[in-house]
Amino acid sequence: MDKNNNRFLLIIILGLLSAIGAFSIDTYLSGFPIMASDLHVSVDDVSYSLSSFFVGISIGQMLYGPLLDRFGRKKPLIVGLVIYVLASMGCAVSTSLEMLVVFRFLQALGGCVGMVTPRAIVRDTFPIQESAKIFSTLILILGVSPIIAPSVGSLMITTMGWHSVFWLQAIIGVVLFLAVLFLLAESKKADDSISLKPEHVTKVFWGIARNPQFITFSVAGSLVSGAIYAYLSGSPFVFMEIFKVSEQQYGIIFGVLAGGLILSSQINNLALRRFSSQQIINVALSIQTILGLLLLTLSAFNLLNLYGTLILIFLFLCCQGFSFPNSSALALMPFSKEAGSASALMGSLQMAIGSLSAAMVGFISNGTSLPMLGVMAGCASLGLIVFKIGNNNIVAKNK
């Protein structure tokens, strides 16, 4: 197999691994009403299974980071995928909300290895200047999930019941396990010099967290990601309960809106030929903040119908396709030996803010779209502020 084919296969596997978290979310969102009825709880209560998933991802990535640096990339990846498969089966046989919430946490604890490892492998394998472009390509693969997963999930839920989507996730986990085992080359050898003692791990994470470039771009990127998770948490209620779209229509809407993220991530590759990552992030976050505030204001005065909401959210998600790959590349740029831990800390921060955003939407729920849109606008605004302050300080120190 030549170098180009190896590169193509690597990117495909990394993209599919990166999508495991999104696929685990997107396939069951349209089933919230049916799940609520079957489990004898409210739709808002079912969203706790989403929040527990985010918490599991946040905690799990912190555990995998040091393991990836100590044992290489493949072994922790294989173990995590095994946990994911078993937990998916647990979700499939759940008979209560509490049981589902626990298994969703364990599913995330295993599956998050597929989210943190690709970032570390990109840092291992590709030159620094190529990282943002590779992350944009991974988003292209990742973006297939929200386009096809809701429709697949909706079809399975209406024909075979909501449990079937978790059996599907288990099967996909097995396929990824085999791909990693037989097709993925190790990008970093085990390093016996890296200690797993709590005090050493804490020292490594603390050193990473104190890096000005890491903290600026990881926090700004995480806040903007929080807006996306607020959307994920609130969109089933907003579209299916407020705007009264069907489960099938919701699946289509979800996929079309996700298309904005895919489209912009590929335009980002072209933009990087003329502009720096910092310049792109600045414009993207500024526009996203304006769109978030516009969505919130117009909705507060009942000036938005379904189509107006869809257009503005589509544009809002487009901005994410520019900010995410560039902020990720810049956050990981200062690290090589500790790329796994840096990737884990960044991913954990993203999911911690994501889980908080998702939970906040449910906590302040008032039967309107304002909680979802308010959290989205707030996250985008805070992301812009963090970027402006942090980037200005970095530029000043480098002069």
Side-chain angles (χ1 to χ4, degrees), residues 30-91:
S30 63
F32 273 28
I34 294 177
M35 295 171 70
S37 176
D38 189 29
L39 298 174
H40 307 293
V41 295
S42 69
V43 172
D44 284 339
D45 287 337
V46 176
S47 68
Y48 286 116
S49 67
L50 186 61
S51 296
S52 72
F53 189 86
F54 292 152
V55 172
I57 289 177
S58 180
I59 294 174
Q61 290 187 89
M62 293 292 284
L63 297 176
Y64 286 118
L67 295 177
L68 289 167
D69 290 333
R70 170 64 177 81
F71 297 106
R73 311 310 189 197
K74 283 192 68 169
K75 288 181 180 178
L77 190 52
I78 289 170
V79 172
L81 287 173
V82 171
I83 296 173
Y84 174 82
V85 170
L86 295 176
S88 297
M89 293 177 180
C91 292

Side-chain angles (χ1 to χ4, degrees), residues 90-107:
C91 292
V93 299
S94 293
T95 55
S96 68
L97 177 62
E98 293 78 11
M99 188 175 177
L100 178 65
V101 168
V102 170
F103 276 117
R104 283 287 284 176
F105 173 81
L106 295 174
Q107 186 189 37

Side-chain angles (χ1 to χ4, degrees), residues 102-353:
V102 170
F103 276 117
R104 283 287 284 176
F105 173 81
L106 295 174
Q107 186 189 37
L109 207 61
C112 70
V113 74
M115 303 171 67
V116 63
T117 308
R119 291 192 293 261
I121 293 177
V122 168
R123 180 63 182 84
D124 295 336
T125 309
F126 298 98
I128 294 296
Q129 60 272 21
E130 275 194 68
S131 294
K133 295 180 180 180
I134 299 299
F135 282 126
S136 291
T137 304
L138 295 185
I139 288 178
L140 175 61
I141 302 171
L142 176 62
V144 173
S145 174
I147 289 179
I148 66 171
S151 298
V152 171
S154 177
L155 178 63
M156 295 185 69
I157 289 168
T158 54
T159 57
M160 294 181 285
W162 61 268
H163 300 84
S164 63
V165 298
F166 294 111
W167 288 117
L168 174 63
Q169 291 171 17
I171 292 171
I172 290 174
V174 171
V175 172
L176 288 174
F177 169 82
L178 295 174
V180 169
L181 189 62
F182 296 111
L183 300 177
L184 185 65
E186 179 61 82
S187 65
K188 179 184 181 296
K189 294 181 180 180
D191 188 344
D192 294 337
S193 68
I194 295 178
S195 172
L196 294 179
K197 293 182 179 179
E199 59 269 23
H200 177 79
V201 172
T202 302
K203 183 179 179 180
V204 170
F205 278 131
W206 179 242
I208 294 169
R210 292 178 62 190
N211 184 284
Q213 180 160 329
F214 175 83
I215 201 67
T216 294
F217 295 109
S218 63
V219 171
S222 295
L223 284 166
V224 179
S225 293
I228 305 302
Y229 289 107
Y231 160 72
L232 290 174
S233 178
S235 61
F237 176 81
V238 170
F239 290 121
M240 290 191 283
E241 299 293 329
I242 296 178
F243 290 116
K244 304 299 181 183
V245 304
S246 67
E247 294 168 5
Q248 290 77 15
Q249 289 172 327
Y250 173 76
I252 295 172
I253 287 172
F254 197 86
V256 170
L257 292 180
L261 177 60
I262 300 172
L263 176 64
S264 59
S265 68
Q266 301 317 297
I267 296 176
N268 180 63
N269 279 336
L270 299 177
L272 283 166
R273 297 177 183 177
R274 297 189 58 185
F275 305 101
S276 69
S277 290
Q278 290 91 335
Q279 289 174 316
I280 294 172
I281 293 173
N282 183 43
V283 174
L285 290 184
S286 298
I287 295 174
Q288 194 168 27
T289 298
I290 293 171
L291 289 170
L293 295 174
L294 187 61
L295 269 165
L296 180 61
T297 302
L298 292 178
S299 295
F301 289 97
N302 295 315
L303 297 176
L304 272 185
N305 58 15
L306 173 61
Y307 297 105
T309 302
L310 290 176
I311 291 171
L312 290 177
I313 291 180
F314 177 86
L315 295 174
F316 186 95
L317 295 180
C318 280
C319 295
Q320 181 73 3
F322 291 102
S323 59
F324 175 77
N326 290 293
S327 62
S328 296
L330 289 171
L332 295 178
M333 186 178 291
F335 310 99
S336 55
K337 181 179 179 180
E338 292 133 350
S341 295
S343 174
L345 186 58
M346 180 176 68
S348 181
L349 183 61
Q350 288 173 352
M351 290 304 148
I353 293 177

